[in-house]
Amino acid sequence: MSGNGPFALFRWEKLFESWDQFALGFLRTLEVAALALLLALAIGIVFGVLSTTKSRILQGIVRGYVEFFQNTPLLIQIFFYYNGLAMLGLVLGKFAIGVLGVGIYHGAYVTEVMRGGIDSIHKGQAEAAQSQGFTYVQTMRYIILPQTVKIVLPPLTNQAVNLIKNTSVLAMIAGADLMYAADSWASYTLNYGPAYVVAGVLYFILCFPLSTWARHYEERLKKQGVQKEVKEQKETNVEVAV
Amino acid sequence: MIKLENVNKYFGKNHVLKDVNLEVAEGEKLVIIGPSGSGKSTTVRCMNFLEVPTSGHVYIDGEELTTKNRVEMVRRTTSMVFQQFNLYPHKTVLQNLTLAPIKLQHKSREEAESLAYKYLDIVGLREKAEVYPSTLSGGQQQRVAIARALCSQTKIILFDEPTSALDPETIQEVLDVMIKLSQENITMVVVTHEMGFARQVADRVIFMDDGTIIEEGTPEHFFTNPTHERTKLFLSKIIR
């Protein structure tokens, strides 16, 4: 911690003098992550529902979207929005690129999570709704999707964690996010050690509560499932006893 | 009321309904019996287009049911009670009953709830209005499902093996509700293995096997004097 090492005390002092740069970056990361998450959820719900329709064309479109965005690096997608679209005459702001790029990329994963959630609901539910005269969209909205919430919440939270971390690719296009703030400050002052540690800690502060919550929620669901079974068992026993 | 005209249904290469012709009169109680895989469930499921016939026509009240008008027509004309109850587990009993009337028939909440309580009284479960279906026994769940079907106030109720998933001791409570309903002017089409029910309630019984209607007639004819060998064989196995 002393002398001129990468983690020397004076380097930390320097960093805390420039804390506002990190705060701004942190704020930008939060904004991008929040909006990208909303976009990813919107895409995921719509495409997840479309992928469970009987239409082969819709299924194909969703399949193509998911495979394309899951199987190419996010960084290339970001570079495409930044450089590729600009060459085609469409110049997007870096903030917009962050939201769109990360949102569309994670939308593919959320689509898969939603599809799995919808598929896990017994088909009798959709049949009951159809027999009452609900349209497909109404069936999804009132009957199927509300039942998937419990199932998809843990994997969606994990997606949110990945999404937050992935906003750091914005640093590659000088996106003014936390990673960029840390990186540019580090290369300007040559205090790499503290800069990356502090950035890492800030990401951790965002992600750790989320992933912890998701794990607890999932465990609680499992326990509830077990308790319900036990209760049903007891009820059957009572009936037999009577 | 319901008319099936030359209805064929294939599941892949499997020909499950073979040129089925059938008419159900208004207010009629029709019971369909037959071995599993005979196409009896598929027949009732064609009546509300849960299965769309591969060929042939389905008419409700003289109007042809098509993939275009099915949502609107089914909403107006038919309700269904399923083997597995298919209550909505995320909603209370009361919400199960009021969801369709509120969302589809645009009834006010008060109106829908008073209707729901009226039918909960009929099935004897008023005190269960606020609980979730998972806390009910199978027989109670099925009675709720019947009340839910009644809440749509359609002229036709289709029953697809309503007691087949129940414990023996709860079958009768469901049958009792259905017997009570049969006094109303509701057109009931019931797929069942409950011969006692068929005998007591049916105006007409149909025996299906291998995707075709083998024999039809009054319950008396059926249980005392069936003509076809296949029917006799089936009845001898099921009535012990």
Side-chain angles (χ1 to χ4, degrees):
Chain A
M1 293 297 272
S2 59
N4 201 20
F7 295 101
L9 191 59
F10 77 91
R11 298 191 192 277
W12 291 94
E13 287 167 356
K14 274 264 167 50
L15 189 150
F16 288 110
E17 281 164 20
S18 324
W19 70 272
D20 54 327
Q21 287 185 38
F22 283 78
L24 281 176
F26 184 69
L27 197 65
R28 172 58 63 97
T29 289
L30 265 184
E31 290 168 347
V32 171
L35 289 176
L37 185 62
L38 284 181
L39 178 64
L41 284 176
I43 293 174
I45 291 171
V46 171
F47 278 37
V49 168
L50 289 183
S51 71
T52 60
T53 61
K54 283 179 186 152
S55 160
R56 288 276 165 82
I57 299 169
L58 289 176
Q59 284 177 9
I61 291 171
V62 174
R63 205 67 251 147
Y65 159 72
V66 168
E67 296 300 343
F68 180 81
F69 284 93
Q70 278 191 349
N71 294 308
T72 51
L74 173 58
L75 189 55
I76 294 182
Q77 294 169 25
I78 296 286
F79 281 161
F80 174 78
Y81 298 123
Y82 188 59
N83 297 318
L85 286 186
M87 286 175 76
L88 296 171
L90 181 63
V91 180
L92 294 172
K94 287 166 185 169
F95 185 80
I97 289 175
V99 172
L100 286 178
V102 176
I104 292 172
Y105 175 79
H106 279 282
Y109 288 91
V110 176
T111 299
E112 289 291 87
V113 170
M114 292 307 300
R115 189 172 63 86
I118 293 168
D119 281 346
S120 73
I121 304 298
H122 190 268
K123 77 174 184 355
Q125 290 291 311
E127 287 186 350
Q130 199 185 325
S131 79
Q132 290 198 290
F134 285 98
T135 63
Y136 190 79
V137 171
Q138 287 172 325
T139 301
M140 284 294 156
R141 178 167 163 209
Y142 297 122
I143 289 135
I144 307 298
L145 288 178
Q147 293 185 54
T148 65
V149 171
K150 272 188 182 176
I151 300 160
V152 299
L153 221 41
L156 280 188
T157 311
N158 291 332
Q159 276 307 309
V161 169
N162 285 336
L163 182 148
I164 291 170
K165 291 185 293 180
N166 278 341
T167 56
S168 61
V169 298
L170 279 189
M172 301 298 287
I173 58 166
D177 64 311
L178 174 58
M179 190 63 224
Y180 179 73
D183 203 35
S184 58
W185 183 82
S187 46
Y188 179 68
T189 61
L190 302 180
N191 295 326
Y192 290 99
Y196 293 145
V197 168
V198 166
V201 167
L202 288 173
Y203 281 111
F204 186 83
I205 288 171
L206 283 182
C207 296
F208 180 68
L210 282 176
S211 51
T212 307
W213 178 83
R215 206 178 62 242
H216 283 302
Y217 184 84
E218 211 170 357
E219 273 165 17
R220 211 169 61 223
L221 275 189
K222 272 183 201 153
K223 257 190 217 148
Q224 275 175 357
V226 172
Q227 275 168 355
K228 206 177 140 202
E229 272 167 35
V230 171
K231 197 168 148 246
E232 274 164 10
Q233 207 98 52
K234 274 186 191 152
E235 275 168 3
T236 338
N237 289 342
V238 168
E239 266 172 32
V240 172
V242 167
Chain B
M1 198 72 201
I2 310 170
K3 187 176 175 192
L4 303 189
E5 206 175 79
N6 303 324
V7 167
N8 283 279
K9 179 70 186 177
Y10 287 84
F11 290 124
K13 282 183 180 164
N14 203 356
H15 198 176
V16 291
L17 288 186
K18 297 169 182 166
D19 240 5
V20 170
N21 287 283
L22 174 62
E23 269 189 73
V24 190
E26 181 164 356
E28 186 177 5
K29 322 298 169 203
L30 175 72
V31 167
I32 305 178
I33 60 174
S36 60
S38 61
K40 54 194 194 306
S41 276
T42 310
T43 303
V44 287
R45 286 163 63 88
C46 281
M47 293 177 182
N48 63 359
F49 262 35
L50 280 188
E51 303 295 351
V52 180
T54 311
S55 69
H57 306 276
V58 178
Y59 300 91
I60 308 285
D61 245 350
E63 195 183 338
E64 181 161 12
L65 187 57
T66 65
T67 46
K68 281 222 171 78
N69 69 12
R70 70 167 163 193
V71 170
E72 181 272 327
M73 234 174 114
V74 164
R75 187 180 296 176
R76 203 157 36 83
T77 57
T78 70
S79 305
M80 192 171 224
V81 175
F82 298 85
Q83 183 175 353
Q84 300 291 344
F85 331 132
N86 295 347
L87 293 175
Y88 307 133
H90 61 304
K91 302 212 170 272
T92 64
V93 165
L94 189 63
Q95 288 167 344
N96 263 277
L97 267 57
T98 56
L99 185 68
I102 291 173
K103 299 295 178 195
L104 302 180
Q105 283 140 27
H106 307 293
K107 288 194 162 68
S108 72
R109 206 183 134 101
E110 294 73 35
E111 206 183 339
E113 286 186 355
S114 73
L115 196 65
Y117 278 111
K118 175 181 155 193
Y119 291 120
L120 279 177
D121 278 336
I122 289 181
V123 302
L125 288 170
R126 168 180 275 264
E127 77 284 0
K128 298 291 187 187
E130 301 298 333
V131 308
Y132 284 90
S134 61
T135 64
L136 301 175
S137 72
Q140 290 173 328
Q141 289 193 44
Q142 194 61 299
R143 282 149 66 199
V144 171
I146 292 172
R148 179 173 71 178
L150 287 169
C151 278
S152 297
Q153 298 189 300
T154 55
K155 285 187 191 167
I156 302 167
I157 302 183
L158 310 171
F159 294 83
D160 188 3
E161 303 206 29
T163 57
S164 298
L166 295 174
D167 295 331
E169 68 264 36
T170 61
I171 288 178
Q172 197 55 46
E173 68 184 57
V174 172
L175 290 179
D176 286 344
V177 168
M178 292 170 65
I179 290 165
K180 208 194 288 185
L181 282 191
S182 67
Q183 341 249 293
E184 309 286 323
N185 187 35
I186 299 170
T187 307
M188 293 168 65
V189 181
V190 185
V191 172
T192 188
H193 295 293
E194 296 296 326
M195 294 303 137
F197 173 82
R199 206 174 268 199
Q200 189 178 349
V201 166
D203 296 314
R204 187 160 52 118
V205 178
I206 281 179
F207 174 68
M208 288 189 74
D209 191 22
D210 197 24
T212 53
I213 296 172
I214 304 281
E215 185 162 358
E216 63 175 283
T218 60
E220 295 86 67
H221 159 80
F222 236 86
F223 295 108
T224 55
N225 193 16
T227 30
H228 288 260
E229 278 309 312
R230 189 69 194 82
T231 318
K232 285 179 193 167
L233 187 66
F234 176 75
L235 288 173
S236 73
K237 277 183 186 159
I238 204 158
I239 301 172
R240 278 164 294 200

